[in-house]
Amino acid sequence: MTSNTRIPKAELTGIYGAVVRLMSRKMLGDVAEPVEVAWHNRKVLNFSLGVGRQAAKWDQCDENLKSFAHMAVASLVGCSFCLDLGYFMAHNAGLDETKAREVPRWRESDVFTPLERDVMTYAEAMTQTPPTVTDEMSARLLKALGAPALVELTAYIALANMYTRTNTALGIESQGFSAACDLKPLAVASTA
């Protein structure tokens, strides 16, 4: 697969590089391009990996909702890497991969519940510049999820924005993780 990253990938060297390569291959089957690009600045890489590990421990919000929110952000921003990885991770975590596949066309799809639609609307509203989150959106989600879950969802969406915008700016594109496990291609939103 040809890489089009705007900063060339770095070789993961030393013991730490070997550990990062091993863990990435164990989790994904390959070394993720964002890791290879961020290897140029280990403090940034360590922050990104660390915050991801910490966020993975959060447990107040449903994992499917967080997955759909992240993928909705990725779809809006245009991060094919995050969409592909999100679909792959949903599959590996036993989440609803049928719904995950439909996130790029969630407005047109009939597979989502009203709550899931509210979550993706909220994710997109947070992603807009400036954000377009309304009191009504927040009130609906607060009522449906409760304060702890809404705080977690909001922080998760903020992290999704960090990852998607970083990858997009660096020219990192899909690595085909979902194709490697024979998942159907992601749905594509209509242009009409």
Side-chain angles (χ1 to χ4, degrees), residues 29-48:
D30 198 0
V31 178
E33 280 190 350
V35 171
E36 293 173 305
V37 172
W39 189 258
H40 290 289
N41 187 324
R42 307 265 168 71
K43 289 179 182 178
V44 172
L45 174 64
N46 290 340
F47 170 79
S48 182

Side-chain angles (χ1 to χ4, degrees), residues 13 24 66 103 129 141 145 165 183:
T13 57
S24 188
K66 292 189 296 189
V103 170
T129 303
L141 287 172
L145 300 174
R165 292 175 185 280
L183 290 172

Side-chain angles (χ1 to χ4, degrees), residues 1-5 9 33 173-174:
M1 176 176 205
T2 306
S3 175
N4 295 317
T5 59
K9 296 185 291 186
E33 280 190 350
E173 298 175 349
S174 171

